[in-house]
Amino acid sequence: MAKLKKQIRIALRNCGFINPENIDEYIARDGYMALGKVLETMSPEETIEEIKKSGLRGRGGGGFPTGLKWELTRKVDAEQKYVVCNADEGDPGAFMDRSILEGDPHSVIEAMAINAFCTGASKGLVYIRAEYPLAIERLKIALKQAREYGFLGNNIFGSNFSFDIEIRYGAGAFVCGEETALIHSMEGLRGEPGVKPPFPSEKGYQGMPTNVNNVETYANIPVIILEGADWFNKIGTEKSKGTKVFALAGKVNNVGLVEVPMGITLREVIFDIGGGIKDGKKFKAVQTGGPSGGCLTEAHLDTPIDYDNLINAGSMMGSGGMIVMDEDDCMVSMAKFYLDFTVEESCGKCAPCRIGNKRLYELLDKITEGKGTDEDLFKLRNLATVIKDTSLCGLGQTSPNPVLSTMDNFPEEYEAHVKDSKCFAGQCKALMQYIIEEDACTGCTLCVRVCPVDAISGERKMAHFINQDTCIKCGACMEKCKFGAIYIG
Amino acid sequence: MDKIKLTIDDTQVVVEKGTTVLDAAKSVGIDIPTLCYLKLEDTAFENTPGGCRMCVVEVDGRRNLAPSCKTPCDDGMLVKTHTPRVVNARRTVMELILSDHPFECLVCTKSGKCDLQTLAQDLGIREIHYEGEKSTYKGDESPGIVREPEKCIMCRRCETACNDVQTVGTLSALYRGFGSIVAPAFEMDLDHSNCTFCGQCVSVCPTGALIERDNTWKVIEAIMNPKKTVVVQTAPAVRAALGEEFGYDAGTLVTGKMVTALRKIGFDYVFDTDFAADLTIMEEGTELLGRLNKYLKGDKEVKLPMLTSCCPGWVNFFEYHFPDMLDIPSTAKSPQQMFGAIAKSYFAEQLNIKREDMVVVSVMPCLAKKYEAARPEFAVNGDPDVNVSITTRELAQMIKSANLNFDALKDDDFDRPLGESTGAGVIFGTTGGVIEAAVRSAYELHTGKNLEKVDFHELRGFDGIRSATIDFDGLPINIGIAHGLGNARKLLEEIQEGKSQFHAIEIMACPGGCIGGGGQPYHHGDIGILKKRQKAIYQEDAGKPIRKSHENPYIQKLYKEYLGEPCGEKSHELLHTNYFDKKKKIVIE
Amino acid sequence: MASIKLAPSKVEKLKEICKKFNNDKGELINVLHAAQETFGYLPAEVQEIVAEELNVSVAHVHGVVSFYSFFTMIPKGEYPISICMGTACYVRGAEKVLDEFKKLLNIKVGETTPDGAFSLNSLRCVGACGLAPVVTVKEKVYGRVAVEDVKGIIEEYKSLE
């Protein structure tokens, strides 16, 4: 019950409740009424004002005020403008955009039309991951139905507003979540970001003013219009209004998408909604914001979740990935995992991100191999700080966060790896030692026979020893030992 | 214009709206270091990817550091260009760049002229704290250009030169992240790609990643071989730039010193490509008049405008990109190849030696000349007309290697007969020069009248595309000029669309013409250097006693004794060529 | 010297794809998607024809192809195996599963077995984090895969050969 009580469904309001391939079911739940209301009773300025008043901020990562973004695009004079939906969800562990497009595609279409009306655009583009075939299929069906019902096309709702939407496919590049890179990709170019300014609101797709919002942001729009900004801005904290969808994953009992009001604590999400840590293990950290975010600790569990609190804690909202970790997870390895991702996804345009992240990864690798030094820890921090400070786009400006946040929140783990060659979580293979407890060993020689590299020696019926230099830490001996005489030290 | 006031390092600066912080700082004498950034004034070259992050500065109120090359000034902005935070960031990023760069400065072609090396020294890098894996790529040694991609720092200047300026499209950034590199498609060798070897990528490369193929050793070997008679020719643009390699101001003519140096290096005969330029005018001018006369007589088949064909980068360009127009350019060979053909026939006969025993070396401002010299059609039984082509830079290197004190060298004159040239031959080295030389002769040959004023200022200048109408005694001749292949493309597309109004068009592949060639001393972004070289070329022309190609007595003698008449049978055999459709021959490996 | 190794019918097919997108260079990525769907991968010859049809340089096309991880110049196996390395799968042991596939198939990530049957890929989050760790073979999804299950999954397809 707790799982349901703490949740408020705005962005996910229709997911699972309607057949997404049937527009009538969307309409039955007030679908396209917001668009109708806007076109029939509101001016673009009034609509933008309403969105601004609602306090809605971009759900894709940065948290830029949505209404303000629309206004910036509106203010630029141009013959052609575009609105874009960023559905290139690339955060490992986050899939709310896919769920919305699969479960409620019309809410995005409706919101894009409202956005186009407000900004003065006549064309919309959805940039969607090619890896989401079902979402693409449902979006296509929804677009077709919306056109048939006259919600897209010429003179929508009998007004002089005309608008239609095309689909563009991503091709597997995380950096294309950055809006300038996304625009380049839609233009048939390498998805390398550009230096801002100029912002897309001035010069975007095809050099024209372009407003880019992500799926979840759009999904909020129709509700705000129908229920009013005042209803919406009562939910949440002072500077972060409404709800946020998180993809709860990792070592919790209940995994999946949750939509919670801003201001809820991590504890509520993990323990009340998520049902606590799996297998009765101890909570260690929660990672939010994916490769751009950081690891938060026990100390942060009661911090209300909103954009600013997460940033102050050294993480960020990101697109809503929330990975829970327990005592078996090594924080250095975690940082390394994210850096591995960033190294692979860096576009290569700017030097700090292209080379710096690679060097960060190598330093972390060295530490998990037990070869790190005190100086390496110093280098790690300086390098991470410089990458943040000098990288060209959001990817590089945030990629060191997993390193910095784990260094800040779990300094003892880094120290242990470097000074004592110890990995508390027992995850770093190179730091593990299989040790035979002399008293418990019966000298049965079973371990000797199973060892693939002949690292174990000892007389029959006498205590055995493992040669640590030869041992490859495969664990076969421990598995075979009938007396529980082998442990990891 | 809106004015903006800001403060940079405690200095008040007033600039126009839209000015970058970098330019604003420069205007008050603050030089913020740059690496990838390169803008060449008066050309289409503008490379500002914001990728190297060397120009970062601290802007009050901004969370992270700002790249000054891409950050527009704002009213009331407070900028600091050398705080500890900024300097540490620059040094760290420089260390990162160096950590993925070979440490072979001592033997690198670019050592001493390398922007990366200079900046690393300026930043005082003495240790690389962030060592790790270095990237490796397939290298490439094509005739003309050598690619050492491990030295690439992803500044993207070459990509801009190749795509935006030259519109050749050989180079692109490939792959991504740590593995990204600028290379031809599939990392194929340049001589298998559609590369024109214009060398503009080499001209702008800040490191040793793109360099010329070094042929100096081949020259030394030939000179040391007692069986070989070694003949050298020097292109017009070389003498206007060579001095820069020895500390002379740009635009200093060093013709006499260059001749002495070549003699001291050991060449048997020191000749001048300018002689062959005069010869080119005889052939190309005659061809143009022939086509014009046919046209005036109403011949519908005749191809006009006629395009010049002296520039090998340009020849490669139309063979790859406009194979449907192979019959439009003049069939005249370039001066380099005319020289080779005459040296190994006419002059070899005079010396009574076999052509195989003669080695023709050319000193060129150009990398495409290396490729041109290696073309199979420019050889007789496998013996090339021009054996070795070296650049201005390589000649400077040879002079230094031979421990010659350039400053102390006396002025000397070229040998005869292939060293005599006119002012018309000299101006081949600059944009507009070939067509001006052609006009000087064609006017007199067509009208039969004496040309009083030989300076055609309307054909000179630095604009990418220029045009002028010259009065041939009542007959208006429309002339077009383009330098830079992107500009050439525009004129070619006009021809394709049937819109061209020109009778003759001069095209040179490099900005400024040969003075800005890929083999010239590096300009490091200062286009003013090219303009000074151009001035020097016109100065040399003005000082020549003879300024029309057809008045060159040795040219007259050559026709009388050997060739017969321009565009005659013998000329066709030795001095003309044909072109190939190379579009379909891009080989995928 | 001839560079075009594709059968004329395939060349025609490619040209049709380009035409469907109005030979618009802005549609390059959509064209490449369609081409890869048709040919299974994007060999150099295909890229050269796309470049020609869309009037861009082949270097540009290769620059785009090599930028995006979805595009491949290596033909995939008949049964492409993908292991999700998203965070949720990672923390639930996806790396060990991947290692087991590598070991049993004796290929690295991005490679195809010599008989062309299997190819191995890691991908970033298929959005099925509740099933972590996730493996997909062709279109079939396997959830909560343990190292011990790997052999069985491979056998399942080997028997189809």
Side-chain angles (χ1 to χ4, degrees), chain B residues 265-283:
Chain B
I265 285 170
F267 289 101
D268 297 310
Y269 294 93
V270 179
F271 288 141
D272 200 351
T273 313
D274 294 15
F275 170 84
D278 281 335
L279 188 56
T280 303
I281 288 304
M282 298 305 293
E283 295 297 323

Side-chain angles (χ1 to χ4, degrees), chain A residues 150-215:
Chain A
F151 298 135
L152 289 176
N154 292 329
N155 306 101
I156 299 166
F157 279 95
S159 69
N160 54 12
F161 170 65
S162 303
F163 175 69
D164 209 338
I165 295 175
E166 274 179 37
I167 301 179
R168 291 295 163 98
Y169 300 112
F174 176 68
V175 70
C176 288
E178 201 283 338
E179 53 188 6
T180 56
L182 182 151
I183 288 167
H184 288 150
S185 183
M186 293 200 307
E187 292 170 340
L189 305 173
R190 291 163 61 83
E192 293 177 2
V195 179
K196 293 192 274 194
F199 290 90
S201 56
E202 305 157 56
K203 260 187 162 186
Y205 183 65
Q206 311 283 9
M208 295 299 171
T210 303
N211 184 88
V212 185
N213 284 128
N214 102 319
V215 174

Side-chain angles (χ1 to χ4, degrees), chain A residues 172-173 190 192 195 197 343-352 354-356 358-359 362-363 375 379 382-383 386 388-392 397, chain B residues 49-51 53 63-65 67 70 72 85 88-89 92-93 96-97 99-100 129-133 153-154 156 173-178 180:
Chain A
R190 291 163 61 83
E192 293 177 2
V195 179
V343 167
E344 204 168 293
E345 295 297 338
S346 164
C347 81
K349 188 173 178 181
C350 77
R354 179 179 72 242
I355 312 168
K358 175 90 176 166
R359 299 291 175 250
E362 287 166 344
L363 279 169
E375 204 198 339
K379 285 185 190 176
N382 179 56
L383 186 52
V386 170
K388 258 179 98 95
D389 219 9
T390 57
S391 286
L392 191 154
Q397 286 160 17
Chain B
R53 316 310 277 182
R63 185 172 38 89
N64 57 353
L65 298 175
K70 292 289 267 188
R85 177 179 165 206
N88 178 54
T92 304
V93 177
L96 289 174
I97 295 172
S99 77
D100 190 28
H129 294 91
Y130 305 99
E131 281 180 281
E133 185 193 331
I153 56 166
M154 289 299 285
R156 317 293 278 271
L174 303 180
Y175 316 117
R176 75 177 181 210
F178 189 70
S180 55

Side-chain angles (χ1 to χ4, degrees), chain A residues 41 55 58 112-113 136 149 156-157 175 197 201 228 266 305 307 314 319 325 345 349 354 414 432 444-445 460 473:
Chain A
T41 67
M112 284 179 77
I136 291 169
Y149 277 61
I156 299 166
F157 279 95
V175 70
S201 56
L266 284 166
I305 303 173
Y307 289 101
S319 61
M325 284 165 264
E345 295 297 338
K349 188 173 178 181
R354 179 179 72 242
Y414 280 85
M432 275 169 24
C444 73
T445 74
R460 182 172 259 279
K473 286 130 189 169

